[in-house]
Each structure stands twice: as C-alpha cells, then as structure tokens.
Amino acid sequence: MHQPDNTNGRENDAAVTSGDDDDHRHQRRLPDFLQSVRLKYVKLGYHYLVSNLVAILFLPVMILVVLEASRTSPDDLRQLWHGLQYNIVSVIVCSIILAFGTTVHYMTRPRPIYLVDYACYRPPDHLRARFHQFVEHARLCGEFDDSSFDFQVKVLERSGLGDETYVPEAMHHLPPRICLVTAREETEQVMFGAMDALFRSTAVRARDIGILVVNCSLFNPTPSLSAMIVNRYKLRGNILSFSLGGMGCSAGVIALDLAKDLLQVHSNTYAVVISTENITQNWYFGNHKSMLIPNCLFRVGGAAVLLSNRRAERKRAKYRLMHVVRTHRGADDRAFRCVYQEEDGGGKVGVSLSKDVMAIAGGALKANITTLGPLVLPISEQLLFFATFVANKLFSSKAKPYIPDFKLAFEHFCIHAGGRAVIDELEKNLQLLPAHVEASRMTLHRFGNTSSSSIWYELAYIEAKRRMRRGHRVWQIAFGSGFKCNSAVWQALRTVTPSPDNPWNDCIDKYPVELLHGSVTYLGTRKQ
C-alpha cells in the first residue's frame, strides 16, 4: 500500500490549524457596523425624524411657555383680567368670530363614512370547477379547435388559480345552458346569497336602507339588478337605487364612491353596495385567443357592503372610509380599446384583452398614485420624491424617479386579483413584500378572478388570518375597462375578527399555499 508522506501530513495539519486559528480570530472580531446598518433603517429613521419634526421644533417653545407660566403671580393674573374688562368689545367680537368659525367648520366638514360590515358570497361545493373537470368540459363541449383548447390549458396552468374555484350551474351541463334564464339565476344566487349573509351579520332592517348601488359590468337585464334587490327584500319606496354597468373590474370602487357622495347629502341612513359579475351569459365559445383568457380567469363571486353615516355606528363599524381616488384613461384610444367587448369573425361575442393591457394598467396606476400619494404618504416620503423630481429637472439627470414607499402608508394591500401577472407587476413596481400580496394571490388561487368583488375576498382573507388591528390602513386598488384605475383607503376602527359568514372560515388554516410558476398548485400538491 502507498504510505502517506509524513511531511506533507504535518504541513496539511499546520495549514488546517492555521485555518482554524484564522476562523477563531474572525469569529472574535466585532461586526462591521457600517456595513450592517442597512439603508432601510436609515430611511426609517429619516421618516420618523421628518414625521415628528413639528413636535421636535415646538418642544423647546412649549417648555419656555410652561416655565414662563410657572412664574406668573396672582397679581399678574388680576392685571390681565382688568385689561380684558376695559376691552370688552374686542373680547365679544373675537368670541363671536370664534363661535361662527367653529359652527361653519362643523356644518361643512364631510360626514364620516363607516363600513359596518360586508359579506362575500360563498358558492355551494357542487359548483367547484377542478382543473381536470374544467379541461375535460372544454374538450367535450366541441366549440374549440385544438389550438384554442391547448391555449386555454396553458393559460389555466399559469394563471395562479387553484382547484377549488367556482363556475355557474349552467356551465356544468353539456352542452352548457346559456340563456337569459340561467344568467338571471346565477346573478340572483350570488346577490341574494351575499345580502342574506349581510343581514345576518348586521341585523339591519331592510326598511332602514336608504341607498342601494349595484354594479355588474356585463349583465344588465330589465328590470335592473337594483330592482331585483328591491323586489326581493321589499325595500322602501323612496330608496335611491342605481345599477352600474360596463365599468369593468374597478366598478366596485366606483360604486363605493357614488354611495359615499350620496351619504354626504342624505344624513342618518344606510347604503348597500353590491359588486358582482355574471359568468353564464358571457362565456366565450369561439377561437379568438385574446377572447379566451377571461374563460380561464373569471369565476363566480360577489360581495355586499353596508355603509353608514350614522355616528352611532362607529361603535360597531369595522372601518372608516378615508379616501377614494379614481383615474380614467379613456381619452387615450389604446387605453379605451385594451379591454373591449366585441364580436369575433364568426359573430360570437367576447371580451378581447389587448397585449398592451399591462403597460396601460401601469400608466393608469402611475397617474392614480400620483394623486393618492400626497393624501396618504408621510411628509418624509413626499419630500424625497419632490427632491428627486426637482434634481432631475434642474440637472437633467437620467436617474430613475424616486418610488415612494407605500409600505409606510399602509399595513395591508388588497390588489385586484385579475391574474398572476397583475399581482406580480404591482408587487415589483410598488416594491412590496410577498406578505403584502399574499391576500391577493390566495384569493386568486381559492376563488379566481371574481371581478369587482375580489378586493372584498382579499380583505376577508386578512380578517380570517386575524391580522387586522385597530388603526391599520388598507389600500384597495382595482383596474377596469375604459381604462380605469381606482383606489379606496380604509382605516380599521378596532381589531377586526372574521364574521360568522367569512368565506375563508373553513379553509383559512390551509393558507397560504405554495404557488409555483408554470404549474398549478392545489393546497400543497402540484399538477403539471
């Protein structure tokens, strides 16, 4: 056998020993604090400094005032009182002005809008559309050629949808039962289901509702959807009712804005906002690929929201509405046609999605947050943004514009679950963390794209996880045809617990699930 060279062995041992000594010395060194201090902590300190700058500057002044007041003697107070007696007219005039100003401020300030509670519709289990069932059903219906069929399978695999989303009853038949009757049945099932749950959780009487706003983009029968609600629940005859159609997935925020404006005018009342979409009558049975995408993403869902301007409702309300910001890009032809309902070459109606939809959504988002930012961002972020903007203008710098950190303004984000790409882009562009988009991804996985109601399923997810604390701020953001980007900002009035009819109650312990790009993940299992 080959004998090892002892000399080499000693050299190797020495090298190892030397290496161990270096490791020990390295472990004994103190960390490089200059390297360990990350920029985000410097930025956080800057944020706290600027946010409390007024208090810091006024603190010395207040100390001086307190010290001076402590030196005031009773004789000084008597002299001050005598001086006021000789200027009684000035005192009366100042008092009248102060009282008048206080009255005007009280009478003209906006009424607070409270979200008492909301309910999301949970379809029955027999309406679930599992992946293999969906694919087999699409194949057997005989309406799609091979290319269109394969396209839908690929889109569904990459969509982020799970194995437990829902399609309407009519789509479970072969051939599908597409008609006005089944479309009306789907809408009634969703709207009435959400309203029943809302009445159970709030115990509000139907006759106390003074405002009703219903939004559904693609299904607008006669009588209207709002009339269907009035008839079902026998709402009072002088109710202010509205049906919003054709406004896309962002119509839920538009309906909120309309209800908010009406509540500013009509005091001491309740408003109900119902957001839904109809799948039955708007399924596309053609072979135009840009029109097939909605088939793969949209699923059954709806939400009913109870708002009030009654101050007594603050005690039990979950949230207060802080801001609504709406951005409309319809003046631009590309934006106007990027989500467009039309007929294909064979005369079949569908909704076509342009390849530019993500770029157009990005432009709409930029315009929206430009308006929203000054309303919600701390002054520190606004100063950084303004300084970067001025520097780029004055010095013609090509540096990227400063992106405000919206994580300093909001604890929770409800991004419209329009698809995996939408969530990915907002996570990247707004520099969010995976935890901030968890509610959106899980809603897309569990319920699919439920159009304008998706932001409520996301809020219900956060509540079911018991993450909503008093004072937390929520940003709901949605995109819709036209093209529109709309935002609603809420603040929690208390630590929120999930309602008894929360749609996540029986499955929240299974979430979050792992989502893999290029595949479909169903509660921990991967399907290629």
Side-chain angles (χ1 to χ4, degrees):
M1 296 177 63
H2 175 69
Q3 298 295 325
D5 191 331
N6 294 331
T7 302
N8 291 338
R10 286 192 297 271
E11 290 177 353
N12 290 336
D13 291 340
V16 171
T17 303
S18 177
D20 290 341
D21 291 340
D22 289 342
D23 290 341
H24 289 304
R25 283 196 298 271
H26 180 71
Q27 292 175 359
R28 288 195 296 268
R29 291 195 193 109
L30 292 174
D32 186 347
F33 290 107
L34 292 178
Q35 296 296 326
S36 63
V37 176
R38 296 181 179 180
L39 180 60
K40 70 176 183 180
Y41 297 116
V42 176
K43 183 178 177 182
L44 191 60
Y46 162 77
H47 159 64
Y48 286 136
L49 175 63
V50 175
S51 299
N52 299 284
L53 186 60
V54 175
I56 293 173
L57 293 177
F58 272 91
L59 183 60
V61 177
M62 293 301 298
I63 292 175
L64 290 176
V65 170
V66 172
L67 290 176
E68 190 65 27
S70 65
R71 297 172 184 172
T72 303
S73 65
D75 291 336
D76 294 332
L77 293 176
R78 281 193 293 269
Q79 291 178 5
L80 178 61
W81 171 249
H82 289 311
L84 291 176
Q85 286 180 326
Y86 289 111
N87 294 276
I88 191 65
V89 175
S90 300
V91 173
I92 293 175
V93 171
C94 291
S95 299
I96 292 174
I97 293 174
L98 180 62
F100 178 77
T102 303
T103 303
V104 170
H105 171 72
Y106 181 81
M107 296 296 292
T108 59
R109 65 175 180 173
R111 291 189 174 94
I113 306 301
Y114 302 114
L115 192 161
V116 180
D117 205 350
Y118 65 96
C120 298
Y121 175 66
R122 171 71 180 268
D125 291 343
H126 72 271
L127 295 184
R128 286 181 179 173
R130 302 190 182 281
F131 180 84
H132 68 278
Q133 293 174 332
F134 185 94
V135 171
E136 183 67 9
H137 197 87
R139 185 182 66 83
L140 293 176
C141 75
E143 299 287 344
F144 308 110
D145 58 28
D146 292 342
S147 177
S148 297
F149 175 78
D150 293 339
F151 176 78
Q152 290 184 86
V153 173
K154 291 179 180 178
V155 170
L156 190 62
E157 288 177 341
R158 292 163 172 78
S159 64
L161 271 69
D163 211 20
E164 297 187 354
T165 61
Y166 305 90
V167 296
E169 182 74 41
M171 303 308 302
H172 285 271
H173 294 267
L174 278 174
R177 296 170 51 214
I178 309 300
C179 63
L180 183 61
V181 173
T182 55
R184 191 185 295 271
E185 288 175 353
E186 178 200 342
T187 298
E188 290 178 346
Q189 185 181 32
V190 173
M191 293 196 307
F192 298 164
M195 282 292 290
D196 289 344
L198 184 67
F199 281 130
R200 284 195 299 269
S201 65
T202 62
V204 170
R205 298 174 299 180
R207 64 174 177 270
D208 290 334
I209 297 173
I211 299 167
L212 174 65
V213 184
V214 181
N215 70 270
C216 182
S217 186
L218 295 174
F219 182 60
N220 296 281
T222 300
S224 67
L225 299 183
S226 59
M228 292 164 60
I229 297 294
V230 172
N231 177 260
R232 165 78 177 207
Y233 296 98
K234 309 305 177 187
L235 303 183
R236 67 195 198 197
N238 63 343
I239 190 170
L240 302 174
S241 64
F242 303 85
S243 288
L244 306 181
M247 306 193 80
C249 299
S250 66
V253 179
I254 298 174
L256 280 175
D257 194 31
L258 176 58
K260 179 202 71 172
D261 291 343
L262 291 169
L263 286 170
Q264 293 300 328
V265 178
H266 302 275
S267 61
N268 198 37
T269 189
Y270 293 100
V272 170
V273 174
I274 301 176
S275 298
T276 187
E277 190 53 82
N278 188 276
I279 308 299
T280 300
Q281 204 175 45
N282 298 285
W283 204 269
Y284 175 65
F285 291 101
N287 293 292
H288 199 292
K289 288 185 173 57
S290 66
M291 295 181 177
L292 287 169
I293 296 176
N295 288 5
C296 304
L297 299 179
F298 282 87
R299 296 294 185 266
V300 172
V305 183
L306 180 65
L307 306 172
S308 180
N309 54 16
R310 294 183 174 183
R311 296 190 180 276
E313 289 293 349
R314 179 184 174 87
K315 296 179 181 179
R316 67 163 178 164
K318 289 184 173 181
Y319 307 94
R320 177 177 176 179
L321 181 61
M322 306 304 294
H323 306 286
V324 175
V325 175
R326 294 166 53 184
T327 302
H328 205 307
R329 308 284 287 183
D332 177 48
D333 291 341
R334 288 175 60 248
F336 176 72
R337 294 189 64 89
C338 72
V339 181
Y340 202 80
Q341 186 180 28
E342 59 186 342
E343 294 177 332
D344 64 8
K348 297 179 179 179
V349 178
V351 177
S352 175
L353 300 181
S354 168
K355 295 179 180 180
D356 300 328
V357 65
M358 291 306 302
I360 292 169
L365 173 64
K366 181 179 178 181
N368 188 268
I369 64 176
T370 301
T371 304
L372 179 67
L375 299 175
V376 299
L377 286 170
I379 189 65
S380 57
E381 287 297 292
Q382 297 185 47
L383 288 176
L384 283 174
F385 176 80
F386 179 74
T388 307
F389 176 78
V390 172
N392 287 339
K393 290 295 183 181
L394 292 180
F395 304 106
S396 301
S397 173
K398 295 183 178 179
K400 293 182 178 180
Y402 178 73
I403 300 176
D405 187 358
F406 281 92
K407 297 187 294 295
L408 296 174
F410 304 106
E411 286 76 26
H412 306 284
F413 298 80
C414 295
I415 301 168
H416 167 52
R420 183 172 57 83
V422 175
I423 302 171
D424 288 347
E425 285 300 312
L426 265 71
E427 179 183 9
K428 175 183 176 182
N429 292 331
L430 295 178
Q431 299 177 355
L432 302 179
L433 301 175
H436 293 131
V437 296
E438 179 184 317
S440 300
R441 294 195 189 281
M442 297 306 104
T443 295
L444 182 65
H445 180 273
R446 177 62 182 86
F447 294 100
N449 180 353
T450 59
S451 189
S452 57
S453 65
S454 66
I455 54 178
W456 297 108
Y457 286 90
E458 294 163 18
L459 188 58
Y461 178 89
I462 297 170
E463 292 181 4
K465 283 292 185 180
R466 299 180 183 272
R467 297 172 180 171
M468 190 66 68
R469 299 289 184 266
R470 181 178 182 179
H472 280 191
R473 296 151 298 178
V474 186
W475 182 12
Q476 291 180 322
I477 182 168
F479 301 90
S481 58
F483 189 87
K484 299 179 287 291
C485 176
N486 299 322
S487 296
V489 178
W490 303 89
Q491 186 170 36
L493 298 175
R494 55 186 171 86
T495 297
V496 180
T497 56
S499 301
D501 290 300
N502 187 297
W504 298 89
N505 279 345
D506 67 337
C507 61
I508 192 62
D509 293 337
K510 302 176 183 178
Y511 286 89
V513 298
E514 181 183 4
L515 299 178
L516 303 176
H517 295 296
S519 64
V520 183
T521 306
Y522 308 123
L523 301 179
T525 63
R526 177 178 176 178
K527 183 167 184 174
Q528 297 288 0

